[in-house]
Amino acid sequence: MRTIVTVGLLVACLAGAGGLPVVFVPNAGQAPAPVRFVAEAGGVRAGFLSDGVVFTQRGASLRMRFAGAGEAVLEGERPLEGRANFLLGDRSSWRTGVPMFSGVVYRGVYTGIDAAYGVEGDALKSEYRVVAGGDASLIRMEYPGAR
């Protein structure tokens, strides 16, 4: 048995524009190098880094970092049938057939704890999955540079 701790984020809306679903796509060159996955819709971009998430809207960014976390493995969760294509720059830079996911998960972000991100309704949802006997008090988030 596991405990699920759900934490609301400061992102009010990461909704699919025009009814399109929000998808999580591995970074294949469409974002800066530290970003591992990207989800974008409704003018909000979430860039998933190895140690946290950067939310960007209208040029303003908010970074959330897993404070005191270990080396988590970040991977896509619940693969979708479609594929993304990024035709940026010259033809040699194009990336096609990039897989898409309906969420991402940081496995082992804390001992016995995974952090998962997905979409519920029209909002980005974070969820901490704590194994039986795990210590949810380990979960800490920092917002570097936030005032």
Side-chain angles (χ1 to χ4, degrees):
M1 179 172 191
R2 68 178 182 205
T3 303
I4 296 180
V5 178
T6 302
V7 178
L9 293 175
L10 298 176
V11 175
C13 179
L14 188 66
L20 296 175
V22 175
V23 297
F24 296 76
V25 182
N27 185 4
Q30 75 274 22
V35 174
R36 307 264 312 284
F37 278 84
V38 176
E40 183 173 7
V44 177
R45 174 180 265 209
F48 296 87
L49 311 169
S50 61
D51 65 346
V53 186
V54 175
F55 303 99
T56 305
Q57 183 176 31
R58 286 184 229 124
S61 293
L62 174 67
R63 183 171 178 351
M64 186 283 297
R65 189 178 155 286
F66 300 113
E71 289 291 320
V73 174
L74 177 58
E75 55 191 32
E77 196 171 53
R78 298 177 309 279
L80 299 170
E81 289 186 33
R83 295 286 182 257
N85 298 303
F86 299 96
L87 309 178
L88 306 169
D90 63 58
R91 193 176 199 98
S92 67
S93 299
W94 292 5
R95 300 293 177 259
T96 60
V98 179
M100 298 187 300
F101 300 88
S102 59
V104 293
V105 62
Y106 290 87
R107 298 207 187 277
V109 68
Y110 299 100
T111 302
I113 301 171
D114 294 343
Y117 287 83
V119 176
E120 185 172 287
D122 61 356
L124 181 66
K125 177 183 176 183
S126 66
E127 179 176 277
Y128 290 87
R129 301 170 184 165
V130 182
V131 298
D135 184 1
S137 72
L138 295 173
I139 299 169
R140 299 270 189 273
M141 294 170 283
E142 296 178 329
Y143 296 88
R147 292 176 266 177

